[in-house]
Amino acid sequence: MKTILEQLEQRRAGARLGGGEKRIASQHGKGKLTARERIDVLLDEGSFEETDMFVEHRSTQFGMEAQRIPGDGVVTGRGTIGGRLVYVFSKDFTVFGGSLSGAHAAKIVKIQTMALTNGAPIIGLFDAGGARIQEGVEALAGYADIFLQNTLASGVIPQISVIMGPCAGGDVYSPAITDFIFMVKDTSYMYVTGPDVVKTVTNEVVTHEDLGGARVHSQKSGVADGAFENDLEALSEVRRLIGFLPLSNREKPPVRDSYDDPERDEASLDTLVPANPNQPYDIKELILKTVDEAEFFEIGPDFAKNIVTGFGRLDGQTVGVVANQPQVLAGVLDIDSSRKAARFVRFCDAFDIPLVTFVDVPGFMPGTRQEYGGLIKHGAKLLFAYAEATVPKLTVITRKA
Ligand code: HXC
């Protein structure tokens, strides 16, 4: 006869298996880690405390009462990154394709609420097929609850989304409200409606990858702030990003010991900027030579490359860097670069991160394409963001302004 503890451990072992060994093998076969393996990589070893491990869906329709799997397609809990508290939810594609039921949504909302109450970042790992079809409106109501929490937490705690498989339908909008979206190349895609619906409605034939792959969103649409080679790289980069950020807007960004002398002279910067204003140079070289130990976490490196945004440190203190890139379109400001930089500046302002701006700009991009696209309104977003920001702002004009 098993003791209660043994029975509990047996239940836990069952829950850890999610949708079963066959589906886990299929997940690995696609080059993806499972929901739990991802959490293990993301968090400090042994720090994960799971919540709601045995929650099951409540549906009694379409034969669902016979299919209940503990956890219901999402693993939730808290842990640490570099010893600092974070909250996490990780969609489990092996359980009903990670789809969102009422119970699944309630698990996410609970973790969102805890993160907001306790003032710590929340990281969502997405790999799912959207609303659980069998649940209909109950699932849709769950989305509304999640979006509300995302909105309430905006500017209060950092919210990070990592897309590591399908992210379709209602699942795309929670990441879209968060601060940063990262994707994994080749295995992730993100769209409101998939290729089949697109074909039916517009007669357009398009693949998952061409509709919403990591390259599309990190280079063309700007929906994603970065694309990584695989799950491991994506998760370790999120760990690195967290190292720059405060846990919430109620505390200062972390200060790290720096081995870089703040008085350091960088002689090569004397010759980096060509005297001829038409000759380009790489502003990223200047950034890397300025920040501590040449460590820079770039946000949106492949989108609107005419402006560079990202986090670095000066004397151990996090700063947000915004810089025109003379190497791309002569560093001109256009719709995309204004949107990209405005969003970044507003994030820094919300989280008390000082701004360092390197300016070398010929002005705003002329032409009908830009004017028809709303350059006036999008350009104003950048002006508004700087004017509104109350963090320290330091501007270096490297050549022309
Ligand atoms: C229930 C789902 C599901 C869903 C997948 N599954 N999506 N179950 N609800 N939304 C199940 C499948 O039935 C299957 O179960 C398992 O998950 C794996 O799915 P596959 O299709 O075999 O995987 P794959 O070939 O990799 O395709 C992944 C996929 C596809 C592209 C995501 O599953 C798909 O198109 N799913 C439906 C997407 C969708 O229409 N979602 C709802 C959007 S509406 P078995 O038992 O066979 O393993 C929405 C509301 C928006 O989200 C509201 C906004 C406010």
Side-chain angles (χ1 to χ4, degrees), residues 314 319-320 322 345-346 348-349 352-358 382-396:
L314 291 180
V319 292
V322 180
V345 167
R346 297 193 71 182
C348 291
D349 184 43
D352 223 353
I353 298 173
L355 283 160
V356 177
T357 309
F358 295 107
L382 184 56
L383 316 183
F384 185 96
Y386 269 106
E388 178 200 40
T390 53
V391 289
K393 290 174 267 188
L394 187 150
T395 302
V396 182

Side-chain angles (χ1 to χ4, degrees), residues 183-223:
M183 293 183 75
V184 180
K185 288 181 194 165
D186 302 320
T187 50
S188 76
Y189 43 90
M190 208 181 170
Y191 41 62
V192 180
T193 47
D196 294 343
V197 179
V198 172
K199 169 94 176 57
T200 311
V201 176
T202 68
N203 217 16
E204 195 183 354
V205 178
V206 66
T207 61
H208 292 285
E209 184 62 29
D210 286 344
L211 186 62
R215 281 171 197 84
V216 167
H217 287 313
S218 63
Q219 296 172 17
K220 270 190 184 174
S221 72
V223 164

